[in-house]
Amino acid sequence: MTKEEAQGAAEEEQQAQSKKGLKKQQKEAEKAAKKAEKQAKLADEQQSTEEDDFAKDRYGVSAMIQSQQKLDRVLVRIQDLSPEKADQLIWLRARVHTSRAKGKQCFLVLRQQQFNVQALVAVGDRASKQMVKFAANITKESIIDVEAFVRKVEQKIESCSQQDVELHIERIFVISQAEPRLPLQLEDAVRPDGEGEEEGRATVNQDTKLDNRVIDLRTTTSQAIFRLQSGVCLLFRDTLTKKGFVEIQTPKIISAASEGGANVFTVSYFKTSAYLAQSPQLYKQMCICADFDKVFCVGPVFRAEDSNTHRHLTEFVGLDIEMAFSYHYHEVIDSITDTMVQIFKGLRDNFQTEIQMVNKQFPSEPFKFLEPTLRLEYTEGLAMLHEAGVEMGDEEDLSTPNEKLLGRLVKEKYDTDFYVLDKYPLAVRPFYTMPDPNNPKYSNSYDMFMRGEEILSGAQRVHDAQLLTDRAVHHQIDLEKIKAYIDSFRYGAPPHGGGGIGLERVCMLYLGLHNIRQTSMFPRDPKRLTP
Amino acid sequence: MALRELSSLEKYLGLKKPNKYSTQGDKKVPVLQNVNGPPLVGLVTVACHLVREAKRPELLGDCAESRAVVQQWLEYRVTKLDGCTREDVKTILKDLNLYLQDKVYMAGNRFTLADTFMFYGIHPLIVDLAVQEKEQYVNVTRWFDHIQHYPGIRHPLPPVVVLRNKIYSSKHH
């Protein structure tokens, strides 16, 4: 190529470049123009949406309630929502159980304990699009205040407890927001195990439930169980008070192990150490010697048993009874069994809703009992077991499987889930048990069973200081350690007896549940110290 | 064990002269010396011989079909039942339970050698069952209770208690 040609070519190239450059520039300019247009449009829209949010002050996250003001506002309970309140404008505070947006509407289920109701926010002249969007985004379990009209519905809402009404929301405010990721879902926690397996849906295992107890206790099943447990305590107190019993409080920090050395917790007590009480046994008896005649106490019991079973806790609530009697310890048995029967009747008559609610997740047979309570002698029980092919010695204690088998045999023969086994062999009872007057191998002691599992161990107590000393020596117990106890019988002591039941065990067996941790709010076992 | 069964069988059959048995091998297979020919080896072989000697052929089945079934169960006893492991027990009981659903005896409509030897074979398994398991395998238990009450069969084995009524309801507790 010649210089001129090269020059020419370069010029051409330049021209071509500038043509390309022009095109490029043009394209870029177009792009920029489009972008600017879009941005302008967005800004326009945003402005318009903000402008359109006419419902801005009818929803939102409230400032934290620090008692800034006293509002003269009545909050209605969900359980009181019925067609009677139709068309009323009410305020209520509840948790968001679920929220689901469907186009221009948002359906919420609001929950208070075991009651829930459907609520609805719909785009209209009262609610804006943004308000519906806000409602749909409220996290589950958040606590909200709503002002709403109660409206009757033609078709029953099967999935809620309040089936005849629904709420049409006017105002909705979040009082306490829940974090979006819950450690467990309430529907999963309430799902029966079998159903979970069948349908492939999740259930929550017990450890997760216990680790996040606060959320697990919100489920309908848990609410029902603990309301029933509260009922048991109430019925226990009421029945015994009517019978003339006095409630006492006994110390839990004690100087010597009451039931026998192995299973006590030791605590440091200033310069020495002390123990946590395994039972109020010794103090109940001292109260009888102090002329209180009939006493009961409700309080914690601490057993340092390293048993990881379905029915043992290291700390549980003991309901203990002790009473003086006139001539025969069967007066005590009759009093205790009558109290238990009154409790069963009270639960059956007043807590059916709770029982049904628990049965939804944990189906079981209703609890059966006889009136008067069935009382079998230990030898009779042994005979029934022998008939069924079990080999057991006359003075042997019942093992747990044999107890359960005997419970089944008794249920089959007498049709009762609750019975008393009387006259246990002396060898297997504690040192303070009164021996049988006619047969030195046996004792005036008894156990009571619910659904084949032991709930109460009781007896006539030795009220003579000398005999008590002899029995203690026979059991190789250090007399120094129980000197104060023996002394209390030296200044006139009436014949007396009693027994103690575990609150959690009674609830578990009444409801037909299988693990005692389900009936203990914050259970304690060898592996669990929190929550 | 096998020798005791054979002597029980002899008593049941009413054979006057008890035979002398020896055993062979580490499985202690019974052997009966036969004057008329080669020795009879094996529990089933010896038992069938005894039955024929006692002129009780109906114990081996009264028609061709039941004879075949009797032999089948005798073979089952010796091959599957004797020396079965713990894991096999559940399967064996489940299968038997299904088989006995609509039968009074193991073979045909009458008592046969199959019942005798299946009874002896099953006894150690049933003795260890809990009441709930006995209720679970209800047909096996029913047949077992029926056979153990037959005169001359059970002795000297200990009787197994079978409850008349169900104490575990159908709902799993």
Side-chain angles (χ1 to χ4, degrees):
Chain A
M1 243 196 280
T2 64
K3 226 188 194 174
E4 287 159 339
E5 283 176 0
Q7 242 188 346
E11 269 179 24
E12 269 186 30
E13 270 185 33
Q14 266 183 5
Q15 269 187 359
Q17 256 187 5
S18 54
K19 258 201 207 158
K20 274 194 196 162
L22 259 175
K23 267 199 179 159
K24 223 182 180 180
Q25 276 178 9
Q26 249 189 347
K27 262 195 177 161
E28 282 182 1
E30 274 179 32
K31 246 190 179 170
K34 264 196 181 158
K35 211 175 178 186
E37 234 187 274
K38 223 182 181 179
Q39 277 186 347
K41 218 183 174 179
L42 260 174
D44 253 346
E45 263 183 29
Q46 258 184 10
Q47 246 203 338
S48 67
T49 48
E50 269 176 19
E51 277 173 11
D52 281 347
D53 194 1
F54 54 87
K56 224 180 352 187
D57 52 354
R58 286 207 281 280
Y59 69 94
V61 177
S62 275
M64 177 171 69
I65 295 186
Q66 255 182 306
S67 306
Q68 298 94 325
Q69 49 177 337
K70 291 188 186 176
L71 274 182
D72 192 14
R73 185 188 285 169
V74 173
L75 297 179
V76 178
R77 305 290 301 169
I78 291 187
Q79 68 191 110
D80 297 331
L81 291 177
S82 67
E84 283 174 0
K85 287 198 155 56
D87 302 325
Q88 283 181 26
L89 183 62
I90 54 126
W91 276 95
L92 72 75
R93 175 173 298 173
R95 279 193 197 272
V96 172
H97 187 69
T98 54
S99 71
R100 192 185 67 213
K102 226 176 168 190
K104 292 203 167 173
Q105 295 177 319
C106 174
F107 287 93
L108 298 141
V109 174
L110 303 181
R111 182 187 90 235
Q112 269 173 3
Q113 295 166 344
Q114 22 342 10
F115 303 101
N116 47 24
V117 70
Q118 183 164 281
L120 166 57
V121 195
V123 176
D125 52 351
R126 300 296 295 162
S128 61
K129 252 196 318 196
Q130 296 88 328
M131 183 168 163
V132 174
K133 187 165 174 210
F134 174 79
N137 285 334
I138 304 179
T139 49
K140 276 189 187 175
E141 294 301 296
S142 297
I143 301 184
I144 58 172
D145 273 359
V146 293
E147 183 187 36
F149 281 105
V150 181
R151 302 285 187 216
K152 252 169 59 174
V153 282
E154 300 89 37
Q155 243 190 344
K156 279 200 179 224
I157 303 173
E158 300 278 311
S159 55
C160 291
S161 69
Q162 315 304 104
Q163 301 186 331
D164 305 319
V165 291
E166 73 175 1
L167 297 173
H168 290 200
I169 296 181
E170 290 283 306
R171 289 195 267 181
I172 179 166
F173 296 101
V174 175
I175 302 299
S176 174
Q177 204 159 39
E179 282 182 24
R181 282 192 64 80
L182 295 171
L184 59 94
Q185 296 297 324
L186 267 76
E187 302 96 58
D188 294 340
V190 172
R191 190 164 291 129
D193 276 329
E195 204 186 284
E197 270 171 41
E198 269 169 35
E199 300 180 16
R201 297 232 196 111
T203 50
V204 186
N205 78 29
Q206 190 167 270
D207 273 332
T208 319
K209 285 192 199 180
L210 293 176
D211 287 335
N212 301 288
R213 200 48 159 163
V214 167
I215 304 191
D216 179 51
L217 286 173
R218 294 182 195 169
T219 58
T220 48
T221 312
S222 298
Q223 293 276 321
I225 292 177
F226 293 103
R227 279 166 209 287
L228 188 123
Q229 194 171 82
S230 165
V232 172
C233 278
L234 190 65
L235 290 161
F236 183 77
R237 286 205 165 92
D238 282 351
T239 314
L240 287 173
T241 310
K242 280 201 203 96
K243 286 183 193 284
F245 280 71
V246 175
E247 183 169 2
I248 60 167
Q249 307 297 335
T250 62
K252 307 301 167 201
I253 311 179
I254 58 179
S255 59
S258 47
E259 296 274 333
N263 305 323
V264 265
F265 286 111
T266 317
V267 288
S268 65
Y269 198 77
F270 304 107
K271 294 227 167 78
T272 74
S273 46
Y275 304 99
L276 291 180
Q278 292 164 303
S279 79
Q281 181 62 34
L282 275 36
Y283 295 97
K284 285 193 293 181
Q285 290 186 255
M286 295 206 264
C287 278
I288 300 295
C289 298
D291 277 352
F292 279 95
D293 203 45
K294 297 195 238 191
V295 296
F296 71 94
C297 66
V298 178
V301 168
F302 303 96
R303 301 256 167 110
E305 242 181 85
D306 198 0
S307 304
N308 292 297
T309 72
H310 71 279
R311 58 190 210 158
H312 282 104
L313 295 172
T314 48
E315 178 187 348
F316 59 92
V317 176
L319 305 174
D320 282 89
I321 302 176
E322 199 76 19
M323 60 182 265
F325 61 84
S326 315
Y327 294 104
H328 199 290
Y329 75 97
H330 281 178
E331 297 163 39
V332 179
I333 296 189
D334 289 340
S335 207
I336 299 181
T337 52
D338 185 59
T339 309
M340 296 306 297
V341 164
Q342 295 307 319
I343 294 180
F344 299 145
K345 279 188 182 170
L347 292 176
R348 180 194 63 194
D349 298 338
N350 302 325
F351 289 86
Q352 265 314 312
T353 338
E354 281 76 8
I355 297 174
Q356 294 312 319
M357 226 175 268
V358 177
N359 275 340
K360 263 203 236 161
Q361 186 175 358
F362 300 107
S364 77
E365 304 271 322
F367 190 78
K368 284 187 147 169
F369 54 95
L370 296 174
E371 217 181 338
T373 307
L374 174 67
R375 187 174 67 226
L376 296 174
E377 284 208 5
Y378 193 78
T379 42
E380 275 181 81
L382 276 193
M384 283 172 83
L385 284 172
H386 281 147
E387 255 177 44
V390 172
E391 317 211 338
M392 254 187 76
D394 279 348
E395 283 184 270
E396 226 182 289
D397 200 2
L398 286 173
S399 65
T400 314
N402 284 342
E403 273 178 3
K404 289 196 174 163
L405 178 58
L406 183 57
R408 290 272 173 185
L409 294 169
V410 167
K411 175 77 190 274
E412 198 275 319
K413 189 169 177 184
Y414 298 96
D415 199 27
T416 173
D417 286 312
F418 175 63
Y419 73 100
V420 184
L421 205 58
D422 189 19
K423 295 274 187 221
Y424 265 68
L426 185 59
V428 303
R429 301 307 261 191
F431 74 98
Y432 49 74
T433 312
M434 180 67 86
D436 183 296
N438 304 320
N439 185 341
K441 277 206 307 182
Y442 291 101
S443 61
N444 293 352
S445 67
Y446 43 87
D447 271 7
M448 301 194 189
F449 298 87
M450 278 173 72
R451 295 195 204 252
E453 297 197 36
E454 181 207 314
I455 54 147
L456 178 144
S457 220
Q460 174 181 359
R461 323 294 185 189
V462 173
H463 61 281
D464 177 87
Q466 187 52 57
L467 179 57
L468 192 56
T469 314
D470 294 341
R471 297 296 307 154
V473 165
H474 181 267
H475 277 257
Q476 296 168 331
I477 295 184
D478 185 353
L479 290 177
E480 266 313 296
K481 291 221 164 124
I482 52 170
K483 184 174 181 305
Y485 175 57
I486 298 186
D487 281 349
S488 44
F489 300 104
R490 286 171 56 202
Y491 308 107
H496 60 284
I501 59 175
L503 175 64
E504 289 89 350
R505 220 184 251 200
V506 167
C507 287
M508 169 180 88
L509 293 169
Y510 186 82
L511 290 168
L513 299 172
H514 297 293
N515 196 305
I516 199 163
R517 289 158 191 77
Q518 293 169 303
T519 50
S520 174
M521 245 190 205
F522 301 102
R524 291 283 174 268
D525 64 35
K527 300 211 161 80
R528 181 172 289 279
L529 260 183
T530 60
Chain B
M1 176 55 188
L3 298 184
R4 265 186 295 169
E5 290 178 47
L6 288 172
S7 68
S8 275
L9 182 60
E10 284 180 347
K11 283 206 196 84
Y12 171 75
L13 292 170
L15 290 171
K16 292 286 164 48
K17 235 172 90 186
N19 289 312
K20 273 228 170 78
Y21 298 99
S22 49
T23 58
Q24 91 180 18
D26 42 35
K27 276 209 179 150
K28 298 279 195 306
V29 176
V31 178
L32 176 60
Q33 290 299 334
N34 193 353
V35 285
N36 295 336
L40 300 170
V41 179
L43 178 66
V44 173
T45 323
V46 176
C48 294
H49 167 81
L50 289 175
V51 164
R52 280 186 215 103
E53 236 189 65
K55 304 220 188 355
R56 299 275 297 274
E58 71 279 3
L59 282 179
L60 288 174
D62 48 8
C63 65
E65 187 192 331
S66 54
R67 275 197 286 274
V69 177
V70 168
Q71 289 303 317
Q72 170 197 297
W73 284 111
L74 289 175
E75 203 182 298
Y76 183 92
R77 156 72 207 276
V78 175
T79 52
K80 284 266 159 53
L81 207 45
D82 286 347
C84 66
T85 60
R86 286 208 65 113
E87 293 86 39
D88 295 333
V89 171
K90 272 210 177 119
T91 335
I92 291 174
L93 289 175
K94 217 170 98 181
D95 290 341
L96 265 183
N97 199 43
L98 202 57
Y99 176 75
L100 288 169
Q101 213 171 4
D102 55 355
K103 296 180 183 59
V104 178
Y105 297 99
M106 294 297 291
N109 282 326
R110 60 185 311 151
F111 182 81
T112 60
L113 211 59
D115 294 293
T116 318
F117 281 99
M118 281 302 289
F119 171 79
Y120 290 137
I122 281 274
H123 189 280
L125 303 180
I126 299 283
V127 150
D128 285 334
L129 286 185
V131 176
Q132 190 168 10
E133 292 171 301
K134 278 189 270 206
E135 276 188 21
Q136 193 186 346
Y137 303 116
V138 62
N139 299 311
V140 179
T141 313
R142 173 203 18 100
W143 166 83
F144 188 90
D145 198 35
H146 176 65
I147 301 301
Q148 79 171 340
H149 283 103
Y150 248 83
I153 295 296
R154 182 186 57 77
H155 184 77
L157 294 169
V160 172
V161 172
V162 170
L163 297 176
R164 295 196 75 89
N165 299 325
K166 273 202 171 174
I167 63 174
Y168 290 89
S169 62
S170 48
K171 266 196 193 165
H172 176 67
H173 178 65

